[in-house]
Amino acid sequence: MNHQVILFDINETILNLSILKPTFKQYFGDENHMDRWFSMLLHSSTVCLVTDVKTDFKSLALAALKSIAGRLALTLSDEEYANILNTLASLPAHSDIKPALVKLRAAGFTLIAFSNSSSSLLSSQLTNAGLNEYFDDAISVESAGTFKPSNNAYQYAVNKLGVPAKDIRLVAAHDWDTHGALSAGLKAAFVDRFGAPYNPLYITPDIIASTMEGIAEQIIKSKR
């Protein structure tokens, strides 16, 4: 395997969650509950990794949906919850993804999908988004029994790849994820998809851009 490896976070970084907004408007009355749901999902995954609760991303996603429904005094059926979660497996890639991945592969990098999603969900997401051919492998932290940004999650990827941490770079749209990777000894790149300032308390990566193509250009330049 090429010793210059790039890990890509999937949800929001590679895949566009905005397709879920009409579904949230349909079931919860406001599309903005999608952002609330995803934040709750990430929060609960962090609580579980810190307190050593063994679970999976889909279970936490469902729990977050039920929490929002409860707060809104809504009653959804099991089928309706399933309809929302099934949409998570069919998210489209952001428009800047495929061109960037093509450039990075042509430059000789090994590209790995790396996600908190379960192995089965991650597989479905990549297939449905038409991205399988762009990645050399896919790694779910489910197999490590943890979630990012646990140090164990990144170390699991390092061990699985058999490449020194310093030769692996994580690309993510979440500053907590790039901070986690940098804390674990990896390199990182932050794609600023939301225009929010990078948390000043976190370790800042050497590569930051507003698009994935901008990220790819900087990564390729850094290799020379």
Side-chain angles (χ1 to χ4, degrees):
M1 179 176 287
N2 190 305
H3 72 281
Q4 299 192 65
V5 180
I6 306 175
L7 300 175
F8 286 88
D9 172 60
I10 299 302
N11 297 306
E12 291 195 308
T13 301
I14 294 291
L15 301 180
N16 189 349
L17 263 66
S18 65
I19 194 175
L20 289 170
K21 288 187 175 181
T23 303
F24 274 80
K25 183 173 178 60
Q26 174 186 351
Y27 289 112
F28 298 106
D30 187 339
E31 65 179 23
N32 291 320
H33 286 305
M34 188 212 78
D35 292 324
R36 182 183 184 187
W37 163 74
F38 196 64
S39 294
M40 292 173 67
L41 169 56
L42 294 176
H43 174 76
S44 61
S45 69
T46 301
V47 171
C48 287
L49 74 87
V50 170
T51 58
D52 200 30
V53 174
K54 301 304 179 186
T55 184
D56 59 78
F57 215 50
K58 185 175 182 179
S59 297
L60 295 178
L62 176 59
L65 287 177
K66 290 184 175 181
S67 178
I68 290 176
R71 294 182 186 202
L72 296 174
L74 296 173
T75 300
L76 274 67
S77 67
D78 290 342
E79 183 180 3
E80 288 172 324
Y81 282 124
N83 287 341
I84 301 172
L85 292 177
N86 288 340
T87 308
L88 191 61
S90 302
L91 302 173
H94 287 286
S95 60
D96 59 357
I97 294 303
K98 291 182 180 180
L101 297 182
V102 167
K103 289 180 181 179
L104 289 167
R105 286 181 68 89
F109 290 94
T110 297
L111 309 183
I112 309 292
F114 182 50
S115 181
N116 276 339
S117 294
S118 67
S119 297
S120 59
L121 176 57
L122 178 56
S123 177
S124 296
Q125 287 180 313
L126 295 178
T127 298
N128 293 334
L131 293 175
N132 281 325
E133 66 184 280
Y134 298 90
F135 289 104
D136 296 284
D137 200 357
I139 298 175
S140 166
V141 301
E142 175 186 46
S143 302
T146 188
F147 297 105
K148 296 184 292 174
S150 165
N151 185 282
N152 290 338
Y154 305 102
Q155 193 58 52
Y156 173 74
V158 170
N159 294 340
K160 188 173 178 63
L161 293 166
V163 177
K166 64 181 180 62
D167 292 328
I168 302 174
R169 183 185 295 274
L170 172 83
V171 178
H174 308 113
D175 52 8
W176 55 263
D177 200 358
T178 50
H179 170 73
L182 291 165
S183 298
L186 284 69
K187 296 178 182 177
F190 176 67
V191 55
D192 183 7
R193 294 217 179 274
F194 311 110
Y198 195 93
N199 192 319
L201 298 177
Y202 296 166
I203 306 172
T204 305
D206 61 324
I207 292 179
I208 296 177
S210 59
T211 67
M212 192 61 76
E213 289 181 278
I215 293 290
E217 290 170 3
Q218 290 187 55
I219 291 176
I220 292 169
K221 185 178 180 179
S222 71
K223 178 185 176 184
R224 295 169 185 158

